[in-house]
Amino acid sequence: MNFIVNIRHKVNALVARVRIPAFLKNKYFLTAFFFLIWLCFIDDESFLVQYHLHQQYKDLSKRKQRLEKDITSIKKDIDAYKNNPALLEKYARENYLMKRDNETLYIFIER
């Protein structure tokens, strides 16, 4: 029992020697520090969430530009097919295997 009391006194003496800086005792500093931690990591609109949202926005804007480019090329193809019946016939023969009434269609499958 005496041994435990001696250890307790030694621990209390060590704790008493440790000096806590004055700014860590300041309530305004502690409040501002907690507020910063809250904003950076805990809040639903934290800086980390905002960073991830910004990255997602950049990815989506790149995808939007690529899709707009694809749309313009598809619109050009559609205009070409509308204005050129020979091109439309070629597309129908190649992709949909269409044929004229007096033709026979042979399909060769490569292995």
Side-chain angles (χ1 to χ4, degrees):
M1 187 74 165
N2 198 12
F3 178 70
I4 295 173
V5 173
N6 284 338
I7 291 177
R8 211 178 268 168
H9 287 300
K10 288 180 181 180
V11 168
N12 287 339
L14 285 174
V15 170
R17 286 185 202 160
V18 174
R19 301 248 183 232
I20 298 174
F23 69 90
L24 289 179
K25 294 179 184 177
N26 188 342
K27 62 183 174 183
Y28 299 111
F29 173 78
L30 291 175
T31 304
F33 181 73
F34 177 73
F35 183 69
L36 271 174
I37 296 299
W38 183 270
L39 283 179
C40 290
F41 302 108
I42 300 171
D43 192 24
D44 289 339
E45 299 296 325
S46 68
F47 293 128
L48 295 174
V49 172
Q50 293 298 321
Y51 175 75
H52 290 298
L53 287 175
H54 182 70
Q55 292 297 323
Q56 190 176 18
Y57 172 77
K58 288 190 330 187
D59 293 340
L60 288 174
S61 64
K62 287 178 185 177
R63 182 175 178 213
K64 179 185 173 191
Q65 289 175 352
R66 191 182 73 242
L67 290 175
E68 285 176 348
K69 195 182 295 183
D70 291 346
I71 287 172
T72 56
S73 68
I74 289 172
K75 283 183 180 181
K76 286 179 186 178
D77 291 343
I78 289 172
D79 288 339
Y81 290 131
K82 282 182 182 179
N83 296 331
N84 191 351
L87 188 62
L88 181 63
E89 181 181 351
K90 178 183 175 189
Y91 182 80
R93 285 172 174 264
E94 290 175 356
N95 294 330
Y96 296 110
L97 304 175
M98 293 185 169
K99 63 181 183 84
R100 292 188 180 153
D101 290 336
N102 59 355
E103 292 180 340
T104 305
L105 185 63
Y106 295 103
I107 301 173
F108 296 101
I109 300 174
E110 294 183 21
R111 292 186 186 179

